[in-house]
Amino acid sequence: VERAEAAGEFDARLDYAARENEVMRLQAQSQLAAEREQALARTNRLNRMLLALGIAVLAVLTLFFVAKHRSNQRLQSLLAKLGESELQYRTLAENSSDLVVRMALDGTRRYVSPSTREILGVPPEELMRPHWELVHPDDRAPVQQAWRTLVREGGPLTVRYRARHAKGHWVWIEALARRVPAAEGGAEIVYAGRDISGRVRAE
């Protein structure tokens, strides 16, 4: 009887230990499944974040390239209009009896109209650099001061001075000048002068 009871108690203990091991195994499996689910959730969240970031970057790049394309189109349109304006300007200047000059701020001529031949007897290509010796000595200082004022303040400014004709006599010039933005960038002086010798003699 005692052996039977001992055997039964031993079997009961084995059964209890087996059940306890099963419970622990199920708990471990449950915990592992939960950890896997959490890891999968974190991976999914990271994937969604990466996808959202990728979409955002793609959207920014798309906007950038669209804006750049539109900017290039506007620039090309502006350059075309500037080219048309330059052509119109040259057409007017070259058919005007006035002396028209475009000058960089250092005095270098960018354009001299053909009317220099009629007014001063000099071809325009000979006036592409400063020629202060062509200005009457009595008028040279006021003209140079007017130039400095234009460079500093912009104008518009009107000045009268005498310029030497190729034949040796003096021609009275009345010039209107102002500083304007240059097509090449920066600023330049635009100058329009006319022969007023007849008016000065009349006065």
Side-chain angles (χ1 to χ4, degrees):
V1 176
E2 290 179 359
R3 287 183 179 178
E5 289 179 355
E9 184 179 350
F10 180 74
D11 290 339
R13 287 180 180 177
L14 286 178
D15 186 50
Y16 176 78
R19 286 198 301 269
E20 188 174 0
N21 286 337
E22 182 65 17
V23 169
M24 292 175 63
R25 187 181 64 80
L26 292 174
Q27 288 177 342
Q29 287 181 345
S30 176
Q31 184 176 358
L32 181 61
E35 290 176 356
R36 287 178 178 173
E37 187 175 350
Q38 290 175 358
L40 182 60
R42 285 195 298 268
T43 301
N44 289 338
R45 283 197 300 271
L46 181 60
N47 288 338
R48 287 195 295 270
M49 290 174 60
L50 291 175
L51 179 61
L53 181 60
I55 292 173
V57 170
L58 182 61
V60 169
L61 289 175
T62 301
L63 290 173
F64 171 77
F65 284 114
V66 168
K68 185 177 180 181
H69 178 68
R70 290 179 178 174
S71 176
N72 287 342
Q73 285 183 326
R74 287 195 297 269
L75 180 60
Q76 289 174 356
S77 176
L78 178 61
L79 289 175
K81 289 178 181 178
L82 285 174
E84 292 174 3
S85 298
E86 177 73 11
L87 179 61
Q88 293 173 355
Y89 168 80
R90 284 183 176 271
T91 301
L92 289 173
E94 290 177 7
N95 289 279
S96 172
S97 60
D98 289 352
L99 172 60
V100 179
V101 182
R102 288 176 52 217
M103 294 176 280
L105 297 185
D106 63 0
T108 304
R109 273 60 169 172
R110 292 174 172 168
Y111 172 80
V112 178
S113 65
S115 57
T116 55
R117 290 189 177 91
E118 180 181 347
I119 296 175
L120 298 176
V122 179
E125 54 270 18
E126 291 187 14
L127 297 178
M128 293 303 290
R129 63 177 183 85
H131 286 279
W132 289 108
E133 70 277 7
L134 296 181
V135 179
H136 194 283
D138 294 342
D139 301 333
R140 199 169 297 161
V143 170
Q144 289 174 337
Q145 179 58 44
W147 172 263
R148 288 190 290 269
T149 300
L150 278 170
V151 171
R152 185 177 62 253
E153 301 176 8
L157 191 65
T158 302
V159 61
R160 284 185 177 188
Y161 65 95
R162 286 160 287 183
R164 190 172 66 239
H165 194 278
K167 293 182 179 179
H169 61 277
W170 295 101
V171 178
W172 276 96
I173 303 290
E174 183 178 70
L176 173 66
R178 69 168 65 230
R179 188 183 68 201
V180 299
E184 300 86 351
E188 64 183 9
I189 304 297
V190 174
Y191 162 111
R194 63 181 51 188
D195 181 354
I196 60 166
S197 301
R199 190 205 311 171
V200 171
R201 284 193 296 269
E203 290 174 354

